[in-house]
Amino acid sequence: MPGWLTGKPTISPMTPDLSINLGGLAMKNPVMVASGTFGYGQEYDRYFDISKLGAVCTKSLSLNVRAGNKPPRLVETPAGLLNAIGLQNVGIDAYLREKAPYLRKKGVTIVANIYGHAPDEYVELARRLEAEGAADAIEANLSCPNVHNAKLATGPSMVSQVPEQVAEYTTSIRSATKLPLFIKLTPNVVNICEPALAAQEGGANGVALINTLLGMAIDTETRRPKLANIVGGLSGPAIRPVAVKMVWDAARVLKIPIIGMGGICIAADAIEFLLAGASSVAVGSMSFRQPDASLRVVEGVEAYLRQHGIPTVSDLVGAIRV
Ligand SMILES: Cc1cc2nc3c(=O)[nH]c(=O)nc-3n(C[C@H](O)[C@H](O)[C@H](O)COP(=O)(O)O)c2cc1C
């Protein structure tokens, strides 16, 4: 009999606990947005209250302003997006001056994603962010496919393809900051556990999995690559099964938590990542199609917990039945 006839609520009155502690970072819920798909937060604040998210992750910040690659830099693919933005960003000075104060005023939990050409650049970025109180955690992007020589395919083009380098970079950044440190890894490797374990050994508080998969697309009329950079990074629903598998692989060997991402569009997608072993999730490309997708994911995860009578979101982490 429906609840409006019996007087009994049809939805469980239990309010599930969505809060998590992600390697030392307190978050009101496990949902954040993925670097490079949400600007610096302010751009999305006119669509919804961004302080309702577990955290906002900034576009990768570098020491100097970067214009990025030449256009075309974005191509749609059957179930995703191929991008070669090339880390266009305002640079750390403008971030500290113009972007961070807005996020702080809004009470947003900030994960500052950083990018550099060598460990000392990451060190400087992390130090400045901590000193200025402009981040609650650091996510070091060791996995951008669009700035090195990925198109030459002559060998590893990203730091996170070489576990020894992951350890070296992580150790350096670790020594520069007390903020929770997450290392963002590339899926363009044979075994994701190797760089993930290297990050853990270097002192990371968590790993972010996954960055984009290398890809390219060709215009058959002009015979020219669709991206000016020739190659780019594939994101969106097409990569989700790859990402879930990598999270599952890494979760079985790591002691530190995982931020899972890759093709999350709706709450069920996020729940897949949690079941596979991610402690937190990030919504990426989907924000381009539906700006408030990340907030819908927060609401959907809460509804799922209620529906299944699960008291805390942490109960879902790694709860896959195999
Ligand atoms: C347009 C675009 C720009 C991105 N820029 C960055 C970046 O600056 N730093 C970074 O660590 N990841 C960047 N990423 C990768 C995303 O953060 C995320 O790891 C990836 O897109 C997978 O998630 P998704 O399938 O939900 O988009 C970018 C992705 C896209 C689509």
Side-chain angles (χ1 to χ4, degrees), residues 19-92:
S19 67
I20 62 161
N21 183 311
L22 186 72
L25 177 69
M27 289 168 58
K28 56 172 78 96
N29 63 64
V31 183
M32 56 174 95
V33 283
S35 177
T37 62
F38 209 73
Y40 307 93
Q42 190 170 359
E43 296 86 336
Y44 280 81
D45 206 29
R46 61 192 163 115
Y47 297 108
F48 71 100
D49 179 0
I50 60 170
S51 68
K52 291 191 169 158
L53 295 174
V56 164
C57 184
T58 68
K59 173 72 187 168
S60 280
L61 298 163
S62 49
L63 286 177
N64 298 312
V65 186
R66 284 179 63 103
N69 293 327
K70 280 194 239 128
R73 312 193 293 184
L74 274 181
V75 174
E76 258 195 82
T77 61
L81 198 58
L82 204 50
N83 94 80
I85 302 293
L87 294 176
Q88 176 184 3
N89 78 98
V90 295
I92 188 70

Side-chain angles (χ1 to χ4, degrees), residues 32-36 57-58 60-61 110-115 122 129 135 137-142 173 180-185 207-209 211 259 261 282:
M32 56 174 95
V33 283
S35 177
C57 184
T58 68
S60 280
L61 298 163
I110 309 172
V111 176
N113 182 301
I114 57 173
Y115 172 79
Y122 284 91
L129 285 160
I138 303 286
E139 181 177 272
N141 177 7
L142 302 187
I173 310 167
L181 171 62
F182 310 132
I183 302 293
K184 180 131 174 216
L185 299 173
V207 291
L209 304 177
N211 208 319
I259 307 165
M261 69 193 82

Side-chain angles (χ1 to χ4, degrees), residues 18 37 143 148 197 206 217 222 281-282 284 311:
L18 287 182
T37 62
S143 48
H148 296 299
L197 283 167
T222 62
V281 291

Side-chain angles (χ1 to χ4, degrees), residues 203-248:
N205 300 102
V207 291
L209 304 177
I210 59 174
N211 208 319
T212 53
L213 277 159
L214 284 172
M216 64 188 282
I218 303 169
D219 183 322
T220 50
E221 289 308 313
T222 62
R223 301 190 188 185
R224 304 215 20 103
K226 288 189 178 175
L227 289 170
N229 191 54
I230 307 176
V231 302
L234 183 65
S235 61
I239 71 169
R240 192 167 60 241
V242 176
V244 172
K245 158 81 162 59
M246 290 200 163
V247 166
W248 188 60

Side-chain angles (χ1 to χ4, degrees), residues 90-252:
V90 295
I92 188 70
D93 291 332
Y95 170 76
L96 294 173
R97 207 174 47 239
E98 295 155 21
K99 310 294 182 186
Y102 182 87
L103 295 173
R104 278 283 173 249
K105 208 165 135 213
K106 285 267 341 172
V108 170
T109 299
I110 309 172
V111 176
N113 182 301
I114 57 173
Y115 172 79
H117 292 97
D120 58 344
E121 291 193 13
Y122 284 91
V123 162
E124 188 176 339
L125 287 160
R127 278 209 182 112
R128 291 192 60 192
L129 285 160
E130 184 173 10
E132 305 268 344
D136 299 301
I138 303 286
E139 181 177 272
N141 177 7
L142 302 187
S143 48
C144 186
N146 297 322
V147 286
H148 296 299
N149 291 324
K151 57 180 168 287
L152 298 176
T154 49
S157 56
M158 291 170 246
V159 170
S160 67
Q161 287 175 317
V162 184
E164 294 74 22
Q165 286 192 31
V166 173
E168 183 198 338
Y169 276 64
T170 308
T171 310
S172 299
I173 310 167
R174 169 76 297 156
S175 64
T177 178
K178 290 198 169 55
L179 291 173
L181 171 62
F182 310 132
I183 302 293
K184 180 131 174 216
L185 299 173
T186 180
N188 300 292
V189 292
V190 176
N191 179 3
I192 195 67
C193 296
E194 292 178 2
L197 283 167
Q200 177 173 278
E201 278 154 29
N205 300 102
V207 291
L209 304 177
I210 59 174
N211 208 319
T212 53
L213 277 159
L214 284 172
M216 64 188 282
I218 303 169
D219 183 322
T220 50
E221 289 308 313
T222 62
R223 301 190 188 185
R224 304 215 20 103
K226 288 189 178 175
L227 289 170
N229 191 54
I230 307 176
V231 302
L234 183 65
S235 61
I239 71 169
R240 192 167 60 241
V242 176
V244 172
K245 158 81 162 59
M246 290 200 163
V247 166
W248 188 60
D249 284 344
R252 282 175 296 154

Side-chain angles (χ1 to χ4, degrees), residues 11-17 302-312:
I11 301 174
S12 155
M14 174 201 75
T15 302
D17 182 4
E302 176 167 2
Y304 177 91
L305 294 175
R306 269 183 204 277
Q307 201 184 336
H308 292 266
I310 301 168
T312 75

